[in-house]
Structures are given as structure tokens and as C-alpha cells.
Amino acid sequence: MIGLIVFMILGAAAAAPMDDKIVGGYECPAHSQPWQASLNIGYHFCGGSLINDQWIASAAHCWQNPYSQIVILGDHHIWNHEGTEQFMSVDAIYWHESYDYQTLDYDIMLMKLAHPVTVNQYVKPIALPKACPTAGDMCTVSGWGNIYSDEVFNPFQLQCVEVPILSDKDCENSYPGSITDRMVCAGYLEGGKDACQGDSGGPLVCNAELQGIVSWGWGCAEPDRPGVYTKVCSLMSWINDILSRYS
């Protein structure tokens, strides 16, 4: 429980991203993750994923007043203006009514942008899942979060790392009593590759579908402490309901 709270505080603290900065990864090829969003309140504090031309999926623990932030899409170098960015104001945020800030169950929110994005090669939605992932599926996590497990350094360029979906048994064994049906683990039990502070809310993409949202974990890239992600496939009925009611 202490680990959960520490992660949540880190995730919400903004300047020091949350449970997931990419550790053990590499610089993504520029604009290879065109659904990647940066949530920004004067600085990047969480990630998100564009799921259609006017909606972003992120983690509920990343919530900030919608009128105090912007969503940046089409970015790669977070401090340089590249001419590919789209800066979007936020019209409304809907977080899951069952979200629990202590356990991080139902850690999901949907953000409606004030107007649709221009879809192009730099800004493009990621598909939502048609089925749940299976253990062993290889997935890509991306973000601007911390790249070290034992100190803080947030990179300027978007980072990526490939991690496998873990079995429900391995996930539960890593965090006894803390894993719910709305969570999925991805990573390596030996550690070394993970998301980290600042990656919170960002995408876990498997087979070209958004299967996870960076949520929490104990430390970053620690042995037997894989990353825990909001399991998007388990929340599709809620997502579709919000999109149909408020689009």
C-alpha cells in the first residue's frame, strides 16, 4: 500500500513524473507513436493516448483542472518547437466513477478536446482493443518519464521500450492482493525495463491496439516488480458509453 501511495503521489506531482518513465529503453523513432500525448500545465506531467480525433485516454491519477492544462500532440523533442505539434485545450474530463485513489483501481479518465485534431502522419489515433491481450504479447510503452531506476533524469526525446504482457499469476505474485480485474502487468520479472515517473497515463500498445495505460508499480524496473497498467479491454463498455454520451 505504501508503494501504491508513493507511486500515485509521484504520478500526480507532475515535474517528477509518475511510476513510469521509460527505463532500459531507447529513443523512439521520431513520430513513430503518433497517438502519444503530453499533458502539460506549463511542463509535461503525464502522458496520454489519442483514441479518436477529439478524445484522449489517460490515467485518472493524472487528473488536473481541465482549464489549467493543454494537451500537446505531434511532439518528439519536448522542448524544441518542431512544427509538427498541435496544442489543444481541454473541454471536459470524465474519470471512472469507481476510481480508487488508494488502490488505483479503475485508473482511467477520458479527456474531450475543445475541438478535433488534424489527423496526419504526426498525429493519429490508436485503435482501442477488440479483445484482451494474452501473456507473452510484446507491447511498446512510450513516454517522456524518468529513464533511471535510481536517480531522476527526464529525457527531451520521446522514449520507447518493449515489454511482454505477464500472466495473471505472475502479476498477482508480484503484488499480492493488489491486482484487480482492471489491471494488467507488463515487463520482465528480472527487471531492467519499465515505465517510470512521468510516463503515467501513457500508452501500452500491443498489436497496434491500446491495451494499457501506465498506472503504477513499485519503483521502476525493479526485479519482481513489473509495471502495472490499467487494463483497457476490461473498461471498453465504460469507454464506449462516455464516447457515445458526450461526443
Side-chain angles (χ1 to χ4, degrees):
M1 179 61 69
I2 292 175
L4 298 186
I5 294 172
V6 167
F7 255 126
M8 183 193 67
I9 292 172
L10 285 173
M18 140 109 181
D19 130 48
D20 250 19
K21 165 27 182 134
I22 305 303
V23 175
Y26 56 92
E27 181 181 341
C28 308
H31 309 295
S32 62
Q33 316 297 312
W35 46 82
Q36 175 79 49
S38 169
L39 310 189
N40 190 292
I41 51 173
Y43 49 84
H44 166 84
F45 69 95
C46 270
S49 303
L50 185 70
I51 57 171
N52 66 33
D53 67 358
Q54 200 169 354
W55 287 84
I56 301 288
S58 187
H61 79 260
C62 287
W63 187 91
Q64 295 274 357
N65 185 323
Y67 305 116
S68 69
Q69 64 180 294
I70 59 170
V71 173
I72 305 174
L73 294 148
D75 218 353
H76 179 66
H77 191 295
I78 205 163
W79 291 115
N80 287 352
H81 181 67
E82 299 162 283
T84 56
E85 301 91 345
Q86 295 182 40
F87 301 89
M88 312 296 293
S89 56
V90 179
D91 183 60
I93 297 177
Y94 304 90
W95 63 4
H96 201 289
E97 58 276 8
S98 297
Y99 168 61
D100 187 321
Y101 73 92
Q102 294 182 308
T103 65
L104 295 186
D105 199 8
Y106 295 93
D107 189 14
I108 187 172
M109 67 179 180
L110 295 181
M111 309 172 69
K112 185 179 183 182
L113 303 177
H115 56 85
V117 303
T118 299
V119 175
N120 56 32
Q121 69 186 94
Y122 308 108
V123 176
K124 190 180 304 182
I126 183 67
L128 291 169
K130 300 178 185 66
C132 289
T134 57
D137 284 354
M138 288 303 296
C139 310
T140 299
V141 191
S142 52
W144 286 278
N146 186 24
I147 58 176
Y148 297 125
S149 58
D150 57 352
E151 56 183 302
V152 175
F153 176 76
N154 290 9
F156 299 135
Q157 294 89 3
L158 186 66
Q159 303 290 302
C160 286
V161 67
E162 274 74 53
V163 290
I165 296 290
L166 296 180
S167 68
D168 293 341
K169 180 180 178 181
D170 284 342
C171 191
E172 173 63 28
N173 287 345
S174 296
Y175 300 103
S178 298
I179 302 300
T180 73
D181 291 340
R182 275 73 53 188
M183 300 175 188
V184 62
C185 288
Y188 295 91
L189 295 181
E190 62 268 29
K193 295 185 178 185
D194 197 3
C196 197
Q197 286 85 355
D199 295 323
S200 286
L204 174 76
V205 174
C206 318
N207 301 313
E209 294 179 335
L210 181 67
Q211 290 287 3
I213 296 169
V214 175
S215 182
W216 63 275
W218 186 284
C220 303
E222 299 287 339
D224 297 314
R225 298 294 188 182
V228 184
Y229 300 80
T230 306
K231 192 175 182 179
V232 176
C233 65
S234 69
L235 295 164
M236 282 306 301
S237 60
W238 178 82
I239 292 171
N240 287 329
D241 179 59
I242 294 297
L243 294 179
S244 64
R245 287 165 61 190
Y246 300 107
S247 290

